[in-house]
Amino acid sequence: LQTSLKEKDLGVSITPGTSPEAHINQITAAAYGRLANLRTAFRHLNKESFRTLYTVYVRPILEYAAPVWNPHLAKHVKKLEKVQRFATRLVPELRGMSYEERLREINLTTLEDRRDRGDMITTYKILRGIDKVDKDRMFQRLDTVTRGHSWKLKTQMNHRDDRKYFFSHRVSKWNSLGRDVVEAGSIHSFKQRYDKAHGSGRVT
């Protein structure tokens, strides 16, 4: 068998050390390329047209299958966020504003917040049986819950980075969600309640 230093599985680049760096390098390059195409195709972008084009043609590149490769290193988080920082500067009326101000004006959130939200949505879907994943192998629920909601998960400890930041290990934020959020009756309701609880009603 030949040794490979990088393989792509369902659109996600996997390396022997399970670092997401190769995948992040790939998707950020693709996102910059897509932004260059938009700059060529559209001579002027206002807030509304930019938001539509960005959320349809660029942001999905940066978010596809994020629960699989969600980074924990600051350099990777910054590299991804840098794409959106650059993109929001393409709107002439927002130049001179800080990144946070530009996001508020365009009605967007940071990519890091989006990935956290995606982790919570995926956790909800697995626990509710919406995603066909063996939830008992993925998660362990607490036997006794004295405070908060009844869907709390056992915190899994591991000192190896390739396990410590694995999806089922890093979603401890789930335990801090409110009962009304976790016990939502549908995925649509869960998203709405999560966004309201975290002040991220801008998220779409």
Side-chain angles (χ1 to χ4, degrees):
L1 295 177
Q2 292 183 333
T3 300
S4 176
L5 297 180
K6 183 176 72 172
E7 288 294 330
K8 184 176 287 188
D9 186 14
L10 298 177
V12 178
S13 294
I14 307 296
T15 56
T18 67
S19 167
E21 185 162 352
H23 183 71
I24 290 171
N25 290 341
Q26 174 187 313
I27 62 176
T28 52
Y32 280 123
R34 188 66 58 84
L35 286 170
N37 291 339
L38 293 179
R39 293 179 71 181
T40 301
F42 297 89
R43 298 184 62 182
H44 178 77
L45 291 171
N46 58 30
K47 291 186 294 185
E48 291 73 23
S49 60
F50 168 81
R51 188 180 192 283
T52 299
L53 292 168
Y54 175 75
T55 56
V56 172
Y57 294 108
V58 181
R59 192 173 67 181
I61 297 173
L62 301 169
E63 295 187 329
Y64 173 74
V68 176
W69 54 266
N70 194 341
H72 64 275
L73 294 180
K75 66 175 183 177
H76 295 149
V77 174
K78 289 179 179 178
K79 185 164 190 173
L80 288 161
E81 208 67 47
K82 187 177 179 181
V83 179
Q84 186 164 271
R85 284 178 179 271
F86 170 79
T88 56
R89 293 194 187 100
L90 299 181
V91 184
E93 60 191 295
L94 302 182
R95 290 171 187 166
M97 295 183 181
S98 68
Y99 179 48
E100 291 72 20
E101 290 171 336
R102 294 197 300 273
L103 290 181
R104 284 195 295 269
E105 287 291 322
I106 305 173
N107 210 21
L108 296 174
T109 62
T110 65
L111 294 175
E112 186 173 13
D113 285 343
R114 291 274 301 177
R115 290 192 299 274
D116 287 344
R117 179 179 185 263
D119 276 355
M120 296 301 98
I121 292 171
T122 302
T123 302
Y124 175 89
K125 291 166 71 175
I126 292 173
L127 289 174
R128 294 290 183 170
I130 299 172
D131 279 353
K132 302 306 178 183
V133 175
D134 188 340
K135 61 184 179 183
D136 293 327
R137 293 188 63 185
M138 181 68 73
F139 300 118
Q140 287 183 296
R141 290 178 60 181
L142 289 176
D143 297 326
T144 304
V145 177
T146 57
R147 297 178 61 184
H149 60 81
S150 60
W151 289 77
K152 288 192 174 184
L153 306 174
K154 288 184 179 179
T155 301
Q156 301 184 46
M157 303 299 294
N158 202 299
H159 297 294
R160 291 177 50 188
D161 282 358
D162 59 349
R163 295 298 299 173
K164 182 166 46 174
Y165 299 106
F166 184 65
F167 174 77
S168 63
H169 288 59
R170 71 169 184 265
V171 294
S172 56
K173 182 180 178 181
W174 171 265
N175 288 349
S176 66
L177 297 183
R179 180 178 298 174
D180 63 321
V181 178
V182 170
E183 296 181 356
S186 68
I187 187 64
H188 178 70
S189 177
F190 176 84
K191 291 177 181 179
Q192 286 188 322
R193 296 181 186 186
Y194 179 91
D195 292 342
K196 182 178 180 181
H198 291 79
S200 52
R202 305 188 307 278
V203 180
T204 59

